[in-house]
Amino acid sequence: MMKKYLLLAFSLLFGLSQSQIIRKYSNEFLNIGAGARGLAMGGAVITNQDDVYSPMWNPAGLMSIERDWQGAAMHAEYFESIAKYDYLAYAKVLEEGVFGVSVVRLGVDNILNTTQMIDSEGNIDYDKITKFSQSDYAAILSYAFRPGGNPKLDVGVNAKIVYRNVGKFASGYGFGFDVGAIYKADNGWKFGGMVRDITTTVNFWSINQKELSTVVNGEEFNPAPKDKLELTMPKLNVGASKLFEINSSVYVLPEAGINVDFAKTASLISSDFASISPYAGAELGYQKMIFVRLGINRFQSITDIEDLKRKVSFQPSAGLGIRYRGLTLDYAITNSGIGGSNFYSNFFSLKLDMGAFRND
């Protein structure tokens, strides 16, 4: 019986891939990350994001929350405030682990809708121009625990529901899972990894053909896409870090690792099976109150449009942070990476740690 189920699952996946619904870039807004700390470090927080922001990097990091609960909020704007990115999260320590819930939104508002501007006879009527919004939402439920009570190993799981809306034209729902782990060695090193969309994330689309298309002189423009189902393929992020104490007040925390996309992309190492890109980042802390951060990631091999020569591009990032008792304010400046853009954006994030307040 099990063999039949495995064959059925393989046949289904093979059939889906043959119908070209596996997307190289799907639900990319969930790969941006959250929290100015992680963004300033170039995503080099797979092993050391130890707070309520960790579900976006590695849900196993939730286990570092030791008391009470944490809440967080982040806001950023891209392309001269055209696109807005928001994140809200809450994490609560339970008896056997830590539970978290996160909400993410990336949206563009006031987009001009010109699909009905030209009538069936070719006449232009500017009064028929309307506006709509395109928004991506995700709700993420997270849980972190220590298997068998092992203090060296933290494991975390995300269950996520995705809703994407393109005005009256289309809407889509998706669901999937992420799994992450962090191992703490005796010598102070931490090794961690996260598999995003480990079972693939399935997205179901509903298309409004009437709103999307325009018929002019008997010819249809903007036909609806044929595929109404897409799969988001898994991604793997792995890294290693170690805390170095300079003295009783100053420390340096570096991390380095690789990001693996199971598709052919513009990464430095790329094949039909997988593409690999390195990342690195570091945090300099003073009395665990003031923080300076640097990062670098998104190494790609691109072609210069002027001389048509291949060159290597990368995305640097930087940021600052300040903590007072249980309140932390972080800032980062980095490239969003959306659509291969070169626009740098400012990120501000706030974290409230009720356990630290009560401990102080």
Side-chain angles (χ1 to χ4, degrees):
M1 182 65 70
M2 180 60 67
K3 185 176 180 180
K4 291 182 178 180
Y5 283 129
L6 291 175
L7 289 174
L8 178 61
F10 177 79
S11 300
L12 176 61
L13 181 59
F14 180 79
L16 292 176
S17 64
Q18 293 301 302
S19 64
Q20 302 297 316
I21 65 167
I22 295 179
R23 307 301 185 198
K24 184 184 300 185
Y25 302 104
S26 175
N27 295 335
E28 281 295 294
F29 74 106
L30 291 177
N31 296 322
I32 297 174
R37 177 180 183 268
L39 292 164
M41 295 174 65
V45 291
I46 302 301
T47 64
N48 64 79
Q49 189 72 48
D50 55 1
D51 57 19
V52 67
Y53 287 106
S54 62
M56 294 293 284
W57 306 103
N58 185 347
L62 286 173
M63 278 305 298
S64 294
I65 303 176
E66 298 177 347
R67 300 179 302 275
D68 286 322
W69 59 270
Q70 290 184 0
M74 187 193 77
H75 176 74
E77 297 184 1
Y78 302 120
F79 317 125
E80 298 182 351
S81 300
I82 295 177
K84 296 177 174 58
Y85 181 56
D86 296 288
Y87 177 83
L88 290 173
Y90 170 83
K92 171 68 175 177
V93 177
L94 304 178
E95 186 173 338
E96 298 293 335
V98 180
F99 170 79
V101 57
S102 312
V103 179
V104 187
R105 180 188 185 269
L106 174 65
V108 178
D109 302 314
N110 298 318
I111 305 172
L112 293 181
N113 173 19
T114 60
T115 58
Q116 307 303 317
M117 183 180 66
I118 304 177
D119 63 22
S120 59
E121 297 179 357
N123 300 312
I124 298 177
D125 185 354
Y126 293 102
D127 291 334
K128 292 187 177 181
I129 297 178
T130 58
K131 295 181 179 180
F132 68 97
S133 297
Q134 192 280 324
S135 301
D136 298 332
Y137 299 88
I140 305 172
L141 299 179
S142 308
Y143 184 72
F145 61 99
R146 293 192 171 111
N150 186 351
K152 294 184 178 181
L153 180 62
D154 298 337
V155 175
V157 179
N158 288 335
K160 54 192 179 184
I161 300 175
V162 178
Y163 172 68
R164 305 179 66 186
N165 177 263
V166 187
K168 297 179 180 179
F169 307 113
S171 61
Y173 293 89
F175 59 90
F177 299 89
D178 308 324
V179 175
I182 299 173
Y183 178 77
K184 293 162 281 188
D186 292 332
N187 58 6
W189 281 93
K190 289 184 178 181
F191 304 92
M194 177 181 179
V195 183
R196 302 176 184 272
D197 306 298
I198 189 169
T199 59
T200 69
T201 292
V202 184
N203 305 281
F204 302 92
W205 283 92
S206 176
I207 310 297
N208 189 334
Q209 177 64 53
K210 182 179 180 181
E211 289 287 343
L212 181 64
S213 65
T214 300
V215 178
V216 179
N217 295 326
E219 183 178 355
E220 182 183 18
F221 295 86
N222 304 320
K226 295 181 180 180
D227 294 331
K228 297 182 181 180
L229 176 69
E230 66 178 9
L231 296 180
T232 304
M233 295 302 291
K235 291 180 171 61
L236 172 65
N237 311 113
V238 295
S241 68
K242 184 176 181 179
L243 180 76
F244 296 91
E245 294 183 347
I246 308 302
N247 54 46
S248 60
S249 298
V250 180
Y251 72 84
V252 176
L253 176 60
E255 177 177 301
I258 58 172
N259 299 320
V260 182
D261 289 273
F262 293 99
K264 188 176 181 61
T265 68
S267 298
L268 292 183
I269 303 174
S270 184
S271 68
D272 291 334
F273 173 71
S275 301
I276 301 174
S277 177
Y279 72 83
E283 176 181 76
L284 174 67
Y286 175 71
Q287 292 189 346
K288 297 183 179 180
M289 293 180 59
I290 300 174
F291 311 94
V292 179
R293 297 151 182 149
L294 296 172
I296 186 170
N297 64 5
R298 297 185 186 275
F299 286 87
Q300 293 184 322
S301 177
I302 63 174
T303 301
D304 191 293
I305 61 175
E306 295 183 356
D307 55 19
L308 300 180
K309 293 183 178 180
R310 301 292 292 179
K311 66 178 184 179
V312 176
S313 70
F314 56 87
Q315 175 183 310
S317 54
L320 302 170
I322 184 169
R323 176 182 180 272
Y324 177 71
R325 299 183 68 183
L327 193 62
T328 303
L329 176 64
D330 293 314
Y331 164 77
I333 180 169
T334 184
N335 186 324
S336 68
I338 299 177
S341 69
N342 290 317
F343 293 94
Y344 281 79
S345 303
N346 299 299
F347 293 78
F348 293 91
S349 64
L350 187 67
K351 180 180 70 176
L352 173 63
D353 186 346
M354 188 55 64
F357 265 119
R358 293 179 179 177
N359 186 60
D360 293 342

